Structure formats: structure tokens, C-alpha cells
Amino acid sequence: MELPIQQIIPELRQLFRDGDTGVLTAEPGAGKTTVVPLALLDEPWVEGRKLIMLEPRRLAARSAAARMAASLGEKVGQTVGYRVRMDTRVSAETRIEVVTEGVLTRMLQQDQGLEDTAMVIFDEFHERHLHGDLGLALALESRALLRPDLKLLVMSATLDPVPVCGLMGEGTRWLACPGRTFPVETKYLPKPAAASVESFTAQAVVRALREQEGDVLVFLPGAREIHRTERELGILGLPPHVQVHALYGSMPVERQDEAVRPAAAGWRKVVLSTSIAESSLTLTGVKVVVDAGLSRASAFSPRTGMSRLVTLPVSKASADQRRGRAGRIAPGVCYRLWSEEAHSALPEAARPEIASADLAPLALELAAWGVGQPEELQWLDTPPAAAYGQAQALLRQLGGLDDAGRITPFGRRMNALGVHPRLAGMLLRAAELGLAGYASVLAALLQDPTGLRGSGSAGTDLRPRVEALLSAGSSAASQTAGSSAASQTAAADAAAVRRLLQESRQLRAELGPAAPDPARPDEDSCGLLLSFAYPDRIAQRREDGRYLLSSGRGVRLPATEALSRSAYLVAADADDQGADARILLAAPVSEQRLLDASPHLLQEETLVAWDRSTRSVRAKRKWRIGAIVVKEGSIAQPPEEDVLEAMLDGIRLEGPGCLPWTKSSRQLADRLRFLHHHLPDWPDLAPAADGLSAELQEQLRPFVEGMRSVQDLKSLSMHDILLSGLDWGKRQQLDEEAPTHVQVPSGSRIPVDYSDPEAPTLSVRLQEMFGQQETPRIAGGRVPLTLHLLSPAQRPVQVTRDLANFWRETYFDVKKDLKGRYPKHYWPDNPLEAVATNRAKPRT
């Protein structure tokens, strides 16, 4: 039957005869992945060049190439070939290359103009993988600067085309194509809260086999859940003609192909898959989908520099993609293991990987491209600044970038290896030490730490896993071709070992000629190599299995683990949960071996600081690996300038109370505060309850030189220090504007209390103010004093700032009360004409 997309092929051809960019949205079943490249291959603008089609996953890339080659009656590697990591099938006659995202990035880095390429097709772009976004950004840059004739096509089933068209520029056309799909009935089977995902999924599979016809495709979040569900199905029991297959990205190629291959006549298949089967793959015979509704993604924390796998509900777009797999060949059924209400709460689409991933690989690729900051390129979603800054900091630590953010020669060698920069740096440094073979095995394991299962390799310590794989490799070398070397190793799964050995051999080959390594691994080798990859995760033991990472993060191990007694570890993985994350994978290393191999990690720090416990300046020299203090010692003669700054810090920390205030210096400080409050041109030299002003701190500087403790401060004269901040004119103005005393009508000089700069007070016996009509003023007459008029017993009888009103309105009531209590004292009827006195009665 002719595919519906063939109805749109003429428009697609015309689009690329007229322009250079397009977006094609084709529903599942449209066949865009195979029909489009073949249909465009004979266009005049392709002549002499090839088409590159990007697929997000290796299995999808191989499958698409195989289907296209079969439609031409050829083998893969002739007209149609593929390039994926560790597997390439191309030849001189290949004109369509299906590649994975990382491979496309390599091709662009090696030839920024893609001179031998007519077109790049980005398939399944809705998945928004990090390297897919990067590949499109680099291709757009290449087209803008080097290859204006390079044609770009973005294809997807669920993508919103509007922002992509806007990104790709003016003239980009969007073509939509319906798919050849059949109706799919949706059944909701909400999982009980108490049931595990694996057991409930297995029960749903048994039900689906009983109620429906055809093969069953089951979506689970990861390999762990797949294997557990497989065991649950074995317990429940399946009909004898039903085969169960697992399907996930890290499986050996032959087992992936077996899972995808149609079931033999008279047999039914159950394929337990991750999201790898959501798109691009055709699983012939599938009429039923059982969807657990979960997916697994890597979440990166810029705060800790760690990534962790998280299990999340799928988006509506992914759920629809999964559901559509049941309607490719005939009407089908989809069992969703959640409720309709829960479905309405799902996000519309998954977050693009660029928003939450570790951006170290991206930052290294951009530096190799010649870009300093992501904003220099065009993105659908610009990489987050915090995560990108963290990535650049890590790359500087690994030696991949210089201080200006430019790629170093070592960084270019790292980038050429095509693995995470952490592992690339480790492999290159290991080769320098003669440990390339050991490091290649370790790197393969770090890329897939679950690859070895079983008692011999379980636990946190990475060393038994590496040794098991090395042992398996040695066995393989001594056996005949076709035998399973891994079967000699009880701790290893045979297929996983073959895959890991293949990966390690590939990594070793990329490092150069595989001559025997001159160095023999020892008990420190694993931890040492990990320190090259994870300098931010070197861990120093604190107590009871708790460690401090060089990044400053706390981590822990159960005290029962042998590793918890190691003075130093390197944590390759941790769960990043809680105050102290749990270490998942690590290896020990001795301090001396660590420092001998990486002396640049040790940073000397002279610390001259205030010690709150001794209330004095303490000078220490510390040698650190990040936040870890390796050793420290006292400094007898620290730099005087550092001591002075620490002393001033100490005064700030201790507060004004540590200074030797006297009554006169406090009064002077209060007067200065009053003047600064009312006359802003006056310096702020008075201490406050919450500390010292910047001006007062600066004023203290020459007086505390040579001092080291609060005890030394006792020799200071705060009165002299405060006056030293005033020139001769200000000193004269001080006495005029803020006098220490005010003379009252009795002749007495009464001290002014400036503790409240808003309202300075004068506490004076009422009789001493007879004859004065107006309130005394200071600050050049701008501020009236607040009078506390006292009884003969020195108790306030009236508080006022309006003396004239007091004499006029209040005095006679006060006189009546006081005259009865103090009959021997002078209480005139007219206080304004009376003689003021500081005695009981005025002299006659």
C-alpha cells in the first residue's frame, strides 16, 4: 500500500528546489524516516554529495538504515549506511548516512562546512536531546557562515513547528502529513498505591495477552524495572507460545535486533522496553501497548555539580506516541496504568534535555567550535547560565579550558575522544601514566555502572567490578573465537561483559597504538584515575563513614562498608539526596599518591582571620584540595596588612562593645551622632547598636596597627580617635553646635544628654529656669532641647520643648502640687520675673 507521505513528496521536493530549510510534521505511520531521504536522493541539488539523517538512538539509526537499504534491494553499507558509536557501515558508494546525535557533532567539528553533504535531516526532533539541539545550532551557524546552500529539514510527529520555523529563519516552510494509523482503544487501569510498578505491569501484561490478539509492547522507565517485570511474568506464568524480550539502549546489538525482529509463526511476543521504542522503530506485530506511564531522565544540579537519574511521569505527548504504537498495522488497544484524572494533570511535553542536563559536554563542544558563550549561537532554548557556568568551571579544573574560557590543546584531545569530558580527561592522563588499558575498562564501567551484576561486583567499591571485567577480557583473549569469555566470571552477565569489553577496546584504540601498558595497577590505581575524572568529588573522611567532598558537599557511606574506613575516597556517583548524599560508587586513594600525581590540586592558602573563641587574630597556612584541608600550621609573622584587616574584621564582628569607651568618649560619640543626624556634611563617626560605620572603621585603622586582640584595644583613647576625624574648623563648630553643657538662668552649667539624636535632653531643676521664657536651642538654634524639669528631689515633673507654654499653662498646677510637698522652697507667682536659683530659695 502506498504511504500517505508520498502525496506530499512533490511539495517537499519543490520546497528544497526553492529554499534551504523546512519543517515536516508527520504523524506516526507516515513513514517519513525512510521515504523522505530516498525521495530526495535524486534531486539535482544532491548530485555529488550525500544526505545525513540524524536519529536520536543507535537502534533507531540501524533500523532506519536497514529499512531503506531493504527497499532498494541492497545491503546496509551500500547506498544507505549508518554511523553510530562503535559501529559503522558505510562505503565509498554510500549516499545516505543515518547517524546518531553525537556522531553528527563529531562530523561538524571535523568539517564545519560539511562540504560533502547536501542536506542534514533532523528526525524525531521532538525528543529534544542535548546533542540534537547542539547539532541544529551548529548546522545553522555553518549554513550562515560557510554553506548557504546547505539544506536543513527538521522532522517530528509531535513537534510544535512554529518556534522551529522561527529559529531556522525567514523562508522556512512547514509541511504537515497525516499518518497511516488505525484506531486505538485506550483502557485506563490505575495502579494501586501499594502495588509495585513491576508487579502491576506484569499483571496488566497477562490480562492484555488474555483479552487481546497480537504482540504486546510494554513501556517501563529503565532496565532495572524491565528485569524485575520479566521475573514477575515468570512467577505469574505465561502461555508456552509467548516469548518475552527486553529492549533498552545499553543492550548488546544482537539482543536488540532479536527484540525488534518479528515473532515466528504461531508465536506471540512481549517486548519490555524503555522509551527507546516510542518512535523511529517499527515492531511488526504489535497490536497492544501496556504503558506504565514513567520515564527516566538525568537531572543535573548546578549547586552540587552532580547528576542523578530521576523517574518521572511521562508527558502527554510521549503517552500519545506510545499509544500510537498499537495502531501501526491494525486496530489496537493501549492499557494505561494510571487514571484519566491523572492523565489530565500530565505535562503537555517533556522538558528539553538542555534545560536540566550536565552541560560539560556542550561547553567543550562550543569551545572547540570557537564559541565562548551559548548566546553566540541560535537555540530553541538557550542553555541555563548557572549550569553552563558550572560546566566551564569543571572544564577548567580538568584542563580542557583556560582561564579565558578558550579550549586548550589538552581540551581538543579530550573532545576528540567522543566521551564525557570527565572520562576523556581521565583516559588521557591515564595513558601518560601507563594505565590506558585499566582506565579504558574503568571508563566503560562508568558509562554503564549497572553493566556488571552479581555478588562479586555488587557494592560501592568499584575495584571488584574493574577486576572482574579485566579478568573476563583476559579469558576472552585465551579462548577460541565464538566462545563466551564472560561465562568464566561468576560476577558478570555474559552479554553485558561482551558489551563493556567492546566499549573498553574502542576507548583503548582511540588513545593510540595498543602497546602493553608499562605500569601495573595497584590498590590505589582505581581511586587515582577517578580523581582525574572527578577532582570535585575527592572525599576526605570526617567521622562514622561521613566524608567531605572537595566541592564542599557532604557525602556518606554505611559504617559497615569496608570503604568507610578509608581516609580518602573518590566518589564516582552519589544520590545527591539530603544534607549528606549517599555514595553509590567509589574507590579509595592514598593522600600521597593523589598529591604526587596531581600536585596542581593542592592549593596553599594563607589565612589571617579573627578568631571569635580567643577574641584575637590568628594566622594559619592551609593546604587545600578545594574544600578539603589536607594540612595546616601557624604563621609566626603574618603580613602586617593582613593582620590589620583581620583586626578590623574582629572589631566589626565583636561590635562597639569591644572598644574602651569612657564617659567622655561616649558623650563625644553621641554629640557627633547628633550633628551627623541634623547636618549630613558631618562625618558619621559614632558607633551604632548594630556596629561601626565605615567612616569610624577607617578612622580606627592607624590606631590599631600592630594590635592582635581585644586586650590590646584597651590602650586606645576613643575620645582622641573620634576627635582625629575632625579638622580644626569642625572642632570649633562642634562646641558651638553641640555644646557639652548649657548655662541656665541660675548660673549652673547643665550637661546635655545627646543619647537620642532626634531629641537631646536637658535635665534641670525647675527653679533654675525661672526668668527664662524660651526653650534653649542648639545646632545654631535649629534644634530645641527637650527639658526635663525636675522637682527639688530631682524627679521629673514636666517634659517639654515649649518652655513659654509651660509657664503660661502648666506651671501653676505644678506649683500647687510642689508647694505642698516642698514648702521651704521658692515658688513664685510670676516665674518669668522671679530670680532663678540652684538653692531652696534665692539669696537675699
Side-chain angles (χ1 to χ4, degrees):
M1 178 185 291
E2 185 174 270
L3 295 175
I5 197 168
Q6 292 182 344
Q7 299 170 11
I8 211 169
I9 289 300
E11 291 187 55
L12 199 60
R13 286 176 173 152
Q14 189 61 47
L15 186 161
F16 286 107
R17 289 170 186 164
D18 298 338
D20 295 318
T21 55
V23 175
L24 173 63
T25 56
E27 293 178 8
K32 63 181 180 353
T33 299
T34 53
V35 174
V36 169
L38 293 172
L40 297 176
L41 189 59
D42 294 329
E43 286 295 291
W45 46 266
V46 180
E47 185 176 358
R49 287 175 169 163
K50 64 185 177 185
L51 303 181
I52 294 177
M53 184 167 74
L54 178 74
E55 286 293 338
R57 296 181 175 86
R58 285 181 285 183
L59 177 58
R62 291 196 307 269
S63 177
R67 291 200 306 275
M68 283 188 277
S71 70
L72 296 174
E74 298 179 351
K75 293 182 179 180
V76 174
Q78 294 179 278
T79 303
V80 182
Y82 65 78
R83 293 179 190 267
V84 302
R85 180 164 177 77
M86 298 192 302
D87 190 8
T88 298
R89 299 281 183 88
V90 297
S91 64
E93 57 187 300
T94 301
R95 301 190 59 208
I96 298 176
E97 287 191 19
V98 188
V99 303
T100 45
E101 295 167 329
V103 173
L104 174 64
T105 306
R106 297 271 76 70
M107 296 171 77
L108 281 160
Q109 292 284 17
Q110 292 165 8
D111 177 12
Q112 293 191 347
L114 290 179
E115 296 299 335
D116 63 348
T117 301
M119 182 182 209
V120 181
I121 301 170
F122 295 83
D123 195 19
E124 307 299 346
F125 194 72
H126 64 274
E127 295 194 14
R128 298 296 308 281
H129 291 176
L130 181 65
H131 271 286
D133 278 14
L134 172 62
L136 182 57
L138 297 184
L140 287 170
E141 176 87 345
S142 175
R143 190 170 64 90
L145 300 181
L146 303 172
R147 285 285 312 282
D149 63 326
L150 180 65
K151 299 185 186 295
L152 303 177
L153 175 63
V154 171
M155 302 197 304
S156 171
T158 60
L159 184 73
D160 179 359
V162 175
V164 184
C165 289
L167 175 70
M168 295 177 69
E170 186 177 351
T172 300
R173 282 188 62 196
W174 166 40
L175 299 178
C177 179
R180 181 174 62 94
T181 58
F182 294 89
V184 177
E185 180 186 0
T186 303
K187 295 177 180 286
Y188 289 92
L189 303 177
K191 182 182 78 66
S196 70
V197 171
E198 297 86 356
S199 64
F200 191 71
T201 302
Q203 293 169 29
V205 170
V206 171
R207 173 177 170 175
L209 288 168
R210 185 175 63 250
E211 296 178 347
Q212 313 298 333
E213 296 180 350
D215 295 340
V216 181
L217 175 60
V218 185
F219 285 102
L220 290 156
R224 180 179 57 196
E225 291 82 3
I226 285 174
H227 291 298
R228 288 177 178 173
T229 303
E230 194 170 9
R231 286 197 295 272
E232 291 287 338
L233 287 171
I235 294 170
L236 292 174
L238 296 178
H241 64 287
V242 174
Q243 295 176 326
V244 178
H245 297 271
L247 181 60
Y248 50 88
S250 59
M251 285 175 57
V253 172
E254 57 272 18
R255 288 182 59 189
Q256 290 181 348
D257 292 343
E258 184 182 350
V260 174
R261 194 177 299 124
W267 288 82
R268 295 180 72 182
K269 280 202 318 183
V270 174
V271 179
L272 307 176
S273 176
T274 61
S275 56
I276 191 173
E278 267 186 31
S279 54
S280 298
L281 292 179
T282 297
L283 278 76
T284 305
V286 169
K287 296 182 181 180
V288 183
V289 165
V290 175
D291 187 0
L294 299 171
S295 64
R296 188 156 290 145
S298 178
F300 177 72
S301 168
R303 181 181 65 85
T304 64
M306 291 185 180
S307 294
R308 60 188 177 92
L309 287 175
V310 294
T311 302
L312 302 169
V314 295
S315 66
K316 289 178 181 176
S318 289
D320 289 343
Q321 280 279 96
R322 295 177 176 189
R323 176 181 177 273
R325 310 303 289 180
R328 288 292 185 90
I329 61 170
V333 177
C334 174
Y335 293 84
R336 286 176 171 169
L337 308 188
W338 64 92
S339 68
E340 288 190 71
E341 292 76 16
H343 185 79
S344 63
L346 293 177
E348 292 298 326
R351 291 181 71 197
E353 193 177 25
I354 203 168
S356 59
D358 176 1
L359 297 184
L362 176 74
L364 188 61
E365 292 287 1
L366 293 189
W369 186 261
V371 169
Q373 293 298 324
E375 292 78 11
E376 298 176 41
L377 299 179
Q378 296 172 276
W379 307 87
L380 272 183
D381 295 275
T382 303
Y388 194 79
Q390 184 98 16
Q392 288 184 307
L394 172 64
L395 292 174
R396 285 192 290 270
Q397 201 172 12
L398 295 173
L401 298 183
D402 61 20
D403 291 340
R406 296 183 296 263
I407 194 167
T408 63
F410 187 75
R412 290 203 178 277
R413 292 169 61 202
M414 289 167 58
N415 199 48
L417 290 179
V419 294
H420 192 284
R422 289 186 184 272
L423 301 184
M426 179 189 76
L427 288 165
L428 292 172
R429 293 203 59 193
E432 295 169 1
L433 297 178
L435 292 170
Y438 188 92
S440 298
V441 170
L442 178 58
L445 276 168
L446 291 172
Q447 291 186 109
D448 182 16
T450 63
L452 292 182
R453 301 186 300 275
S455 59
S457 60
T460 302
D461 196 341
L462 258 170
R463 292 174 299 175
R465 304 186 190 210
V466 180
E467 290 159 8
L469 196 55
L470 285 168
S471 174
S474 299
S475 299
S478 64
Q479 294 191 26
T480 58
S483 65
S484 175
S487 64
Q488 306 293 315
T489 307
D493 171 84
V497 167
R498 287 197 299 272
R499 184 184 70 255
L500 291 171
L501 287 174
Q502 181 186 6
E503 175 72 14
S504 66
R505 285 192 292 268
Q506 177 77 18
L507 292 171
R508 181 66 182 87
E510 289 176 0
L511 287 172
D517 290 330
R520 292 181 62 83
D522 57 30
E523 62 180 10
D524 273 341
S525 295
C526 189
L528 179 65
L529 295 181
L530 287 179
S531 75
F532 299 154
Y534 304 99
D536 52 333
R537 299 185 199 167
I538 297 168
Q540 183 188 57
R541 188 175 186 271
R542 294 188 284 189
E543 58 180 11
D544 299 330
R546 296 186 181 276
Y547 286 79
L548 176 67
L549 296 182
S550 52
S551 65
R553 182 80 160 92
V555 291
R556 59 183 168 81
L557 273 174
T560 54
E561 284 217 28
L563 277 185
S564 67
R565 295 187 288 276
S566 303
Y568 285 89
L569 298 173
V570 184
D573 194 14
D575 65 6
D576 195 26
Q577 299 291 303
D580 284 343
R582 183 169 61 92
I583 296 174
L584 302 176
L585 290 174
V589 64
S590 70
E591 179 184 294
Q592 192 59 52
R593 188 77 181 279
L594 187 65
L595 297 179
D596 287 346
S598 302
H600 65 279
L601 290 177
L602 195 63
Q603 299 172 328
E604 184 177 336
E605 175 186 38
T606 298
L607 185 64
V608 182
W610 185 258
D611 186 337
R612 295 294 296 270
S613 62
T614 62
R615 304 185 81 194
S616 64
V617 175
R618 287 287 180 265
K620 295 180 180 179
R621 181 170 286 115
K622 295 185 178 182
W623 288 265
R624 294 178 172 273
I625 299 176
I628 294 172
V629 177
V630 176
K631 60 179 178 176
E632 61 180 298
S634 299
I635 304 174
Q637 296 294 328
E640 286 300 324
E641 183 61 30
D642 292 347
V643 173
L644 176 58
E645 293 301 327
M647 192 70 199
L648 292 171
D649 285 342
I651 294 171
R652 283 192 287 270
L653 288 169
E654 299 292 335
C658 72
L659 297 170
W661 297 100
T662 62
K663 184 177 180 181
S664 67
S665 63
R666 287 192 180 280
Q667 185 191 46
L668 176 57
D670 288 343
R671 293 164 68 200
L672 292 171
R673 182 186 296 110
F674 164 77
L675 288 171
H676 177 72
H677 183 77
H678 292 279
L679 303 170
D681 63 318
W682 275 75
D684 182 14
L685 296 175
D690 57 351
L692 306 177
S693 69
E695 289 171 280
L696 180 53
Q697 290 177 52
E698 192 61 29
Q699 199 64 31
L700 281 168
R701 182 178 290 275
F703 292 91
V704 299
E705 283 188 13
M707 294 185 177
R708 285 193 158 194
S709 68
V710 167
Q711 188 69 22
D712 295 340
L713 295 174
K714 291 182 178 180
S715 63
L716 295 175
S717 169
M718 293 308 298
H719 192 278
D720 292 345
I721 291 172
L722 293 174
L723 284 179
S724 69
L726 306 177
D727 58 26
W728 184 85
K730 280 284 193 285
R731 293 191 190 191
Q732 296 298 112
Q733 190 180 358
L734 170 65
D735 290 333
E736 293 171 4
E737 303 276 3
T740 60
H741 295 72
V742 170
Q743 185 168 332
V744 295
S746 67
S748 298
R749 296 184 73 251
I750 308 297
V752 180
D753 182 356
Y754 289 93
S755 57
D756 180 359
E758 286 279 0
T761 61
L762 193 71
S763 297
V764 57
R765 285 172 59 201
L766 189 152
Q767 286 104 328
E768 296 198 57
M769 298 300 293
F770 289 158
Q772 180 158 337
Q773 182 169 346
E774 298 297 330
T775 305
R777 291 175 171 268
I778 55 175
R782 288 182 290 275
V783 180
L785 290 170
T786 299
L787 298 176
H788 288 214
L789 300 175
L790 310 177
S791 71
Q794 300 292 318
R795 294 189 180 91
V797 295
Q798 186 69 30
V799 176
T800 183
R801 299 182 77 179
D802 187 349
L803 186 60
N805 183 69
F806 170 74
W807 295 134
R808 186 171 55 252
E809 302 291 342
T810 312
Y811 170 70
F812 296 102
D813 291 332
V814 171
K815 168 191 168 184
K816 186 186 303 183
D817 177 57
L818 294 180
K819 189 173 183 179
R821 284 194 283 155
Y822 304 100
K824 294 182 179 182
H825 286 258
Y826 180 46
W827 304 107
D829 292 333
N830 188 347
L832 294 178
E833 294 180 358
V835 177
T837 179
N838 56 13
R839 301 162 60 88
K841 291 186 178 180
R843 298 176 185 273
T844 56

